[in-house]
Amino acid sequence: MALTVAFFASSPLGALLTWNSALFAFGNTPGMGSLRRQFQLRMIPLMLFCLAERALFFIGPALLFFSGNMLGLLGFIYCFFPGIWILVRSGFRVEQAVLDYAGVASQEDASHDHRTKDLIKNNFSSLFGRGLAIFLFCYILTLILFITFDYLCYILLDFPILMGQLFNQIDVEIGEISILSFIVLIFQDPSVLWKIPLLITTDPRVLTTLTAFILLVYPIGRLAWFFTYIDLRVRLDCWDMELRMTEVSENLTFKEVSL
């Protein structure tokens, strides 16, 4: 339940993060204190739509983890199709909305939306690879931070979270605890690995700490996905030249009106 709540809560948080980051990137905001003033009513249906898409994707993991037999297999297949397809096809919805609000992609709104869909369609495999790389990076970083925090809590504070509980079950002294000894323990007793998912899914301390680090690392992945959109438009759509030409055109028009 804790991980499920974090999964859905990250959707509106990601929308807020991307909204303000995009305005920062294009110079439309003076500071973080302006986030409250930038909150628009149009963001509410946008967040609800993103939550609905998250719910559609969550059908696969729900069948995989909360059911068995053929339904679990069906959930595993659903995670890849249409689950991954839903995430990638709708992955830049917030980016397009905020840039339209900022006036960056609003000169020809319909053509910009259509061009974004074409780029996603034609570069689906590349976007899937980038999304997978971002996910793996965030997963590994979360794991490293979690293990480090777990280790320090047990060594310095004698507060067992995950590894500490495993070592307590086999009566290992604190002075003998190390990451290397934990790896050796796994090789000596592979059954320890089966206790890890049990603690992750049942122990409140493990769940709270793991969920906290997931939410801590999530903004890094969300910003990386935002700049993936910028990179896609700049490399394949010459978007930087288009924006520059639009800016020059607006300046020329302003000068002509002044004259």
Side-chain angles (χ1 to χ4, degrees):
M1 181 60 69
L3 295 177
T4 301
V5 171
F7 176 78
F8 283 102
S10 63
S11 179
L13 292 176
L16 286 171
L17 176 67
T18 305
W19 189 276
N20 206 42
S21 299
L23 296 181
F24 264 108
F26 290 93
N28 289 78
T29 177
M32 290 299 293
S34 62
L35 178 59
R36 180 181 58 83
R37 297 190 298 272
Q38 291 160 5
F39 188 86
Q40 304 290 321
L41 291 178
R42 72 182 72 187
M43 293 183 66
I44 296 177
L46 177 64
M47 291 179 178
L48 293 177
F49 206 87
C50 292
L51 278 174
E53 291 170 340
R54 284 286 181 100
L56 286 176
F57 174 78
F58 188 71
I59 293 175
L63 292 175
L64 181 62
F65 292 109
F66 302 120
S67 64
N69 301 327
M70 294 302 296
L71 287 179
L73 178 60
L74 180 62
F76 179 78
I77 297 174
Y78 185 95
C79 287
F80 289 92
F81 186 83
I84 298 296
W85 182 84
I86 292 173
L87 288 183
V88 175
R89 291 287 292 184
S90 61
F92 297 130
R93 187 176 306 280
V94 178
E95 285 81 353
Q96 190 65 31
V98 65
L99 295 181
D100 175 63
Y101 165 76
V104 177
S106 59
Q107 294 87 7
E108 299 178 30
D109 186 40
S111 64
H112 273 273
D113 288 341
H114 182 71
R115 180 56 182 162
T116 300
K117 293 177 182 178
D118 286 342
L119 288 173
I120 294 175
K121 180 180 178 181
N122 296 332
N123 299 273
F124 186 87
S125 58
S126 175
L127 290 173
F128 173 77
R130 290 188 177 205
L132 181 61
I134 293 172
F135 171 78
L136 290 177
F137 172 80
C138 292
Y139 178 83
I140 294 173
L141 181 59
T142 302
L143 185 63
I144 292 173
L145 293 175
F146 174 78
I147 292 176
T148 303
F149 183 80
D150 181 18
Y151 178 74
L152 292 176
C153 281
Y154 187 58
I155 295 297
L156 301 179
L157 305 176
D158 194 19
F159 181 76
I161 299 178
L162 178 60
M163 289 194 303
Q165 294 192 64
L166 297 177
F167 281 117
N168 286 339
Q169 293 178 10
I170 57 175
D171 297 326
V172 176
E173 297 294 333
I174 291 182
E176 302 175 1
I177 299 297
S178 68
I179 300 297
L180 181 59
S181 64
F182 182 71
I183 297 175
V184 172
L185 171 64
I186 292 176
F187 278 103
Q188 292 178 347
D189 186 9
S191 63
V192 173
L193 289 175
W194 295 105
K195 299 177 183 178
I196 295 177
L198 179 63
L199 289 173
I200 290 177
T201 54
T202 59
D203 192 278
R205 288 172 293 182
V206 179
L207 277 171
T208 301
T209 307
L210 182 60
T211 304
F213 280 112
I214 289 175
L215 293 177
L216 179 67
V217 174
Y218 172 77
I220 300 176
R222 190 63 186 85
L223 288 176
W225 185 249
F226 164 67
F227 285 107
T228 297
Y229 173 74
I230 302 298
D231 174 70
L232 187 72
R233 294 297 301 270
V234 170
R235 284 191 304 107
L236 304 180
D237 214 14
C238 298
W239 199 25
D240 52 341
M241 296 177 61
E242 177 188 354
L243 295 176
R244 181 58 181 162
M245 287 187 292
T246 301
E247 181 181 354
V248 172
S249 176
E250 290 177 350
N251 290 338
L252 289 175
T253 303
F254 178 77
K255 292 179 181 179
E256 291 174 357
V257 172
S258 299
L259 292 174

